Amino acid sequence: ILDNDNVYGFPRPIENYEVDEYVDRGCPVIGTFGFATDGKRWTEVVELAQNDFDVATVKINIPFATHVTDSWQRIQKIISDIKSCIKKPGIKVEITHNYMDKPELVKWCSRNTINYFPYY
């Protein structure tokens, strides 16, 4: 509780977006996205998918970033790490690099069964 009379709580406004109707693709689709910066455990998404499922698709979107000077090199390392951690043949990984604005990103997330963000 704040003792200051000029501080007011303001809830985060909920925005409305058009999303696609959910389509069952026959297996879980796990999505995650973000720039190639420190603190994101991309391989954790794949590892947890393998722990929980024999068949799943993991979608990862890592746009190239002008504010990350070694973006290309970081993304290449991330891709290499992800490829080396895939152990089950039923786990498919799709890595894309397109930048999405907020409405596109919300729509992209709505197509996934699960969205998981292991940011530390």
Side-chain angles (χ1 to χ4, degrees):
I1 296 178
L2 297 172
D3 292 332
N4 192 333
D5 290 336
N6 64 350
V7 176
Y8 303 94
F10 182 75
R12 182 176 178 175
I14 298 175
E15 302 171 51
N16 290 317
Y17 292 99
E18 294 285 328
V19 296
D20 296 334
E21 185 174 323
Y22 180 75
V23 175
D24 184 354
R25 291 174 173 76
C27 72
V29 178
I30 299 101
T32 191
F33 63 85
F35 291 111
T37 56
D38 294 335
K40 297 177 182 118
R41 297 183 187 169
W42 305 102
T43 56
E44 184 176 307
V45 180
V46 177
E47 291 165 354
L48 290 174
Q50 293 180 117
N51 288 345
D52 293 341
F53 307 106
D54 291 324
V55 176
T57 300
V58 178
K59 293 177 10 184
I60 303 172
N61 183 269
I62 310 169
F64 296 108
T66 56
H67 64 279
V68 181
T69 55
D70 57 348
S71 184
W72 173 254
Q73 291 83 2
R74 286 175 178 252
I75 290 173
Q76 295 310 306
K77 172 79 167 97
I78 291 165
I79 290 170
S80 174
D81 291 347
I82 288 169
K83 284 182 178 180
S84 69
C85 81
I86 300 171
K87 306 295 183 219
K88 290 183 175 180
I91 302 299
K92 305 297 180 207
V93 178
E94 299 173 4
I95 300 175
T96 55
H97 305 290
N98 52 310
Y99 178 83
M100 294 178 265
D101 62 20
K102 194 187 294 187
E104 291 170 319
L105 202 50
V106 170
K107 187 174 272 197
W108 185 87
C109 287
S110 76
R111 296 177 183 141
N112 302 327
T113 311
I114 303 165
N115 291 292
Y116 178 60
F117 303 98
Y119 296 178
Y120 297 90

